[in-house]
Amino acid sequence: SIEMDLLHSNGVLIIQHLQRDYRAYQDFLNFMSHVGDPRNIFSIYFPLWFQLNQVVGTKMIWVAVIGDWFNLIFKWILFGHRPYWWVQETMIYPNQSSPCLEQFPITCETGPGSPSGHAMGSSCVWYVMVTAALSYTVRWKDKSAVTLHRLTWSFLWSIFWIIQISVCISRVFIATHFPHQVVLGVFAGILVAEAFEHTPAIQTASLRVYIKTNLFLFIFALGFYLSLKLIDIDLLWSVPKAKKWCANPEWINIDTTPFAGLVRNLGALFGLGLGINSEMFVTSCKGKNSCKISFRILCIAASLATLQLYNFVKIPTHTEYLFYILSFCKSAAMPLTVVALVPYCVHSLMRTTDKKLN
């Protein structure tokens, strides 16, 4: 439509302004784009929070998975273009050359652009972290504590918005999103996170509930995709555009395709359910050692170190279906490691040490 073309063209002007006037902050903006990467939720934020507060850690995975699932569905419905290919194909510049937008190694996302997955993932998970931190101070009753709570409230929400704005600017700067797409992503993420503030049932969900949820999310997404394909609507229309207009073919990554994100999230949710409902979790995280600060610190350090090793495991991409299967398994292994394997090993080590001392 004309209105959407005008919105996009104004967005291109903003991108050009950022790339011209904020060149000195390129490294910082690229870093903030990595900060907003939804994959950091599973490898950094979740291991930290789950050992500090299992309720918050569990909520974080649910919010991240359901939020990213809604992001996928919204992207399929909205058919949002990305700046780096839109400027090459639009007819809004008939009498002049298309604007030149610089691309970066993280520019060439292959899925549709609206709403921004980075902005949505970042806002939903940071919303969970900020509200969790404030829940500790809201119980303070004396006057000085109330003042401290208000200062903490202002500080944490300021940090929240600084991070969200920085992530949004970074995604616009690298020409992978238009401004309206990142704004939509931020507020969509907040809505998803707020919804889970009133969903306590996830804390007591059985493995059967996790499996049923996984099946529903997968079947709905796949059914939605196949149904539209039957009427000649290809929901993977963005992939060939990304391959055609990406400045460097090596920047195209199968890990950014819509189904790759879906499989990754379903694996993480399944791994969480498997871990929480395992005997190893009950023995370690519900045992006497679970209250010890030393136990939690060791679990955090071991979890973060182990998950970084997963980054060295490269999944072969030559066969798409094999990639999805192995991606599911790798994603499931990460929360399983944090929830069950690492705590059980730390618990066993501490128990052995206690016996030797006695």
Side-chain angles (χ1 to χ4, degrees), residues 7 12 32 44 68 72 90 92 95 129-130 137 148 177 183 189 200 220 223 242 248 253 292 310 314 323 338 351 353:
L7 185 62
V12 168
M32 289 308 302
I44 299 176
D68 209 49
L72 172 66
T90 182
I92 202 171
N95 299 320
M129 290 192 287
V130 168
T137 63
L148 181 60
H177 283 296
V183 172
F220 185 96
N248 187 339
N253 193 336
K292 297 179 179 178
Y310 283 121
K314 300 301 180 183
F323 171 83
V338 174
R351 186 174 59 181
T353 304

Side-chain angles (χ1 to χ4, degrees), residues 24-46:
Y25 304 102
Q26 177 181 330
D27 291 340
F28 170 75
L29 292 173
N30 285 334
F31 170 75
M32 289 308 302
S33 190
H34 286 295
V35 168
D37 192 330
R39 285 170 288 197
N40 288 333
I41 298 169
F42 308 116
S43 61
I44 299 176
Y45 304 139
F46 171 67

